[in-house]
Amino acid sequence: MWQPEQETIGRAELRALQEQRFQAAWAHIWLNAPAQRGILRDAGVEQGDVRSLDDLHKLPFTDKRAFTEQYPFGLFAVPPEDIVRLHSTSGTTSKPSMGGYTARDMQNWKDLNARVCAMAGVTKHDTAQISFGFGMFTGGFGLNYGLEHMGVRILPMGSGQTEKQLMMMIDMASTVLVATPSYALYLSEAVREAGIRDSLKLRVGLFGGEGHTPEMAAQIEENLGITATSNYGLCELGGPGLSGECLERKGMHIAEDHFYCEIIDPDTGAVLPEGETGELVVTPLTRQALPLIRYRTKDITRLNSERCACGRTHARMNPTLGRSDDMLIIRGVNIFPSQVESVLIRQEHIGPHYMLIVRREGVMDTLEVQVELVDGSVLESYRMLETIREKIRAEIRSILGITVKVTLVAPQTVERFMGKARRVRDERK
């Protein structure tokens, strides 16, 4: 373990530490974050109204709109001269969310990411190939800092240049791959097609930046001969390091000494009991530059605070089912892309690349599942195509309760992604 004294702390002692750190964060916001203080007062909240974490449910949520309205630095709680690093979201549909770090925030970030790497079985004897994009995206830098903190040898490849990625994997004897699941899958297919798996030394995958199904992880593991682990974080909350998967692989351990988590009903905002599935809400406890209250992640998951077989006592979150704002509603049925993916990736003759296309026909919404064949010669057999299509349709209907259109396309025709995958195309507009 990277920090056993923190990661195996008793639940009662952990709660006391969370209370202490929450009180300090609450005071920090009221004293040093005027925009956040204004938001709280607009909601009818004064500093004295909150005396413990038990009062947290009384407080308003923070969401991405606050970052947009206070862009770029309105939510910050330290002066500009104390900020040593800035990162941001992509900002593809609006102004990006800006994340800032003080020197202490950066040290915590290194520690948290080192925990994630150690959980996955990484040691200082490994060579890690980072195939995340660098730049304003937090993913590449966060894991880089954690690995560096542990003394791991690093190849900061970034994404793209697939042939060079494979060359470096072999020549540098890389043992750890850091990437989005989508790009790891893309690389794994290139390895399989090149027939070079036996030339690789890879043993561990650290995958984050987007959700993925167990079926996709199994495909990556088979192609690369590795153990695939997941990690989780958001730029607004400091990037990767919020949670990571140990080798038991029964959920991602949340760094509960740095983050307090709730699960809410995404429609009503009501806090749900442990074990129920809903939207993850996070209150960071130790951030100086950007303390937040009840940040809505939009990610759907559930929590489990039972002690893990690995010895860690911090609660675990399930892999995210999807995002509440990515959920499709087709004829009254709630659908997450991951549910469709779990069906597709089990099918014979079908590759792991797909696109969901939503259209409106008259007053009805329809869903087309466009998926790639592994062998293009199948397109010449109408009977086989119909057999494959009907099998997929039947399994999706069994799981989701609706009938979808299934379109089988030639190999290498569905778009590949070197960063976060975009699996839904909504044509209703």
Side-chain angles (χ1 to χ4, degrees):
M1 289 186 184
W2 177 251
Q3 294 176 320
E5 65 280 7
Q6 287 97 341
E7 295 179 78
T8 62
I9 188 172
R11 296 296 300 177
E13 189 179 355
L14 174 60
R15 176 70 179 202
L17 178 61
Q18 288 180 318
E19 285 282 10
Q20 175 191 335
R21 289 181 167 179
F22 172 67
Q23 293 296 337
W26 183 241
H28 181 41
I29 286 173
W30 279 92
L31 185 63
N32 299 308
Q36 294 200 55
R37 187 168 64 237
I39 292 170
L40 290 165
R41 282 187 166 146
D42 287 345
V45 177
E46 291 294 334
Q47 185 175 2
D49 295 338
V50 174
R51 301 188 180 279
S52 73
L53 283 168
D54 291 334
D55 296 323
L56 199 61
H57 70 280
K58 302 175 184 177
L59 301 181
F61 299 108
T62 308
D63 59 24
K64 196 172 182 66
R65 287 175 300 176
F67 282 84
T68 301
E69 292 166 0
Q70 299 295 331
Y71 176 84
F73 308 131
L75 297 179
F76 285 22
V78 296
E81 58 268 24
D82 289 348
I83 299 291
V84 299
R85 172 64 66 84
L86 291 167
H87 281 282
S88 76
T89 60
S90 59
T92 52
T93 58
S94 64
K95 291 286 189 180
S97 299
M98 296 301 304
Y101 304 75
T102 64
R104 193 184 79 181
D105 291 334
M106 289 296 292
Q107 186 59 50
N108 285 338
W109 201 23
K110 293 175 185 178
D111 285 341
L112 291 173
N113 277 283
R115 283 188 196 179
V116 167
C117 299
M119 282 183 207
V122 179
T123 76
K124 66 179 182 180
H125 304 294
D126 280 303
T127 297
Q129 184 160 326
I130 302 180
S131 300
F132 264 140
F134 285 84
M136 296 302 284
F137 172 57
T138 56
F141 280 104
L143 273 298
N144 186 99
Y145 289 137
L147 292 161
E148 187 178 72
H149 204 25
M150 296 177 69
V152 176
R153 183 185 300 111
I154 296 169
L155 298 173
M157 292 292 296
S159 60
Q161 296 183 294
T162 299
E163 288 186 10
K164 188 173 182 181
Q165 297 269 5
L166 302 188
M167 180 188 76
M168 296 297 274
M169 276 184 195
I170 295 172
D171 294 350
M172 299 296 109
S174 301
T175 55
V176 178
L177 176 63
V178 182
T180 63
S182 299
Y183 191 48
L185 181 62
Y186 182 78
L187 287 172
S188 79
E189 288 183 322
V191 166
R192 185 186 62 199
E193 290 167 8
I196 59 173
R197 174 178 151 169
D198 291 344
S199 301
L200 302 181
K201 302 296 183 184
L202 287 176
R203 63 181 194 84
V204 176
L206 291 164
F207 303 137
E210 63 183 7
H212 63 289
T213 61
E215 291 83 2
M216 181 186 281
Q219 183 90 52
I220 296 169
E221 288 181 326
E222 181 180 343
N223 290 348
L224 294 180
I226 64 172
T227 298
T229 66
S230 300
N231 55 79
Y232 175 83
L234 294 90
C235 177
E236 294 89 345
L237 298 168
L242 195 157
S243 68
E245 197 171 24
C246 72
L247 292 176
E248 294 295 325
R249 298 199 294 178
K250 294 181 179 177
M252 293 178 283
H253 288 277
I254 297 165
E256 287 194 283
D257 50 339
H258 291 267
F259 302 96
Y260 184 81
C261 295
E262 306 168 89
I263 296 293
I264 66 166
D265 182 314
D267 296 322
T268 67
V271 178
L272 300 177
E274 181 178 318
E276 291 200 24
T277 298
E279 180 183 339
L280 179 67
V281 171
V282 182
T283 299
L285 303 175
T286 56
R287 295 193 71 195
Q288 285 185 318
L290 189 52
L292 295 172
I293 296 296
R294 306 190 80 195
Y295 184 74
R296 292 189 64 161
T297 67
K298 302 293 186 181
D299 288 314
I300 304 298
T301 184
R302 64 188 179 96
L303 304 181
N304 173 13
S305 62
E306 293 179 4
R307 187 185 187 96
C308 181
C310 74
R312 292 177 176 85
T313 54
H314 291 190
R316 286 161 285 163
M317 58 180 283
N318 275 17
T320 57
L321 179 62
R323 290 179 57 81
S324 59
D325 52 1
D326 283 346
M327 183 179 72
L328 302 171
I329 302 177
I330 307 295
R331 299 193 290 280
V333 177
N334 296 345
I335 299 170
F336 290 100
S338 60
Q339 293 173 298
V340 178
E341 180 181 295
S342 67
V343 171
L344 298 178
I345 210 159
R346 295 196 302 264
Q347 307 300 318
E348 287 185 285
H349 310 295
I350 293 298
H353 301 284
Y354 66 95
M355 183 67 68
L356 306 183
I357 304 170
V358 186
R359 299 185 179 94
R360 178 158 293 152
E361 297 179 3
V363 296
M364 299 290 289
D365 290 337
T366 64
L367 177 62
E368 177 185 351
V369 179
Q370 190 180 93
V371 62
E372 201 174 82
L373 291 163
V374 174
D375 182 358
S377 66
V378 174
L379 289 168
E380 299 174 9
S381 172
Y382 178 79
R383 179 175 294 179
M384 183 174 286
L385 285 175
E386 277 303 295
T387 300
I388 296 169
R389 268 197 292 259
E390 184 49 43
K391 188 171 188 294
I392 294 172
R393 272 197 299 261
E395 291 200 23
I396 291 176
R397 185 166 56 243
S398 173
I399 291 173
L400 301 180
I402 66 169
T403 300
V404 302
K405 177 182 179 182
V406 177
T407 303
L408 305 176
V409 300
Q412 305 297 319
T413 56
V414 174
E415 184 179 359
R416 268 54 171 171
F417 299 93
M418 295 181 185
K420 295 184 181 183
R422 296 179 297 279
R423 300 295 191 191
V424 178
R425 189 166 77 235
D426 191 339
E427 297 183 353
R428 286 176 292 189
K429 298 179 181 179

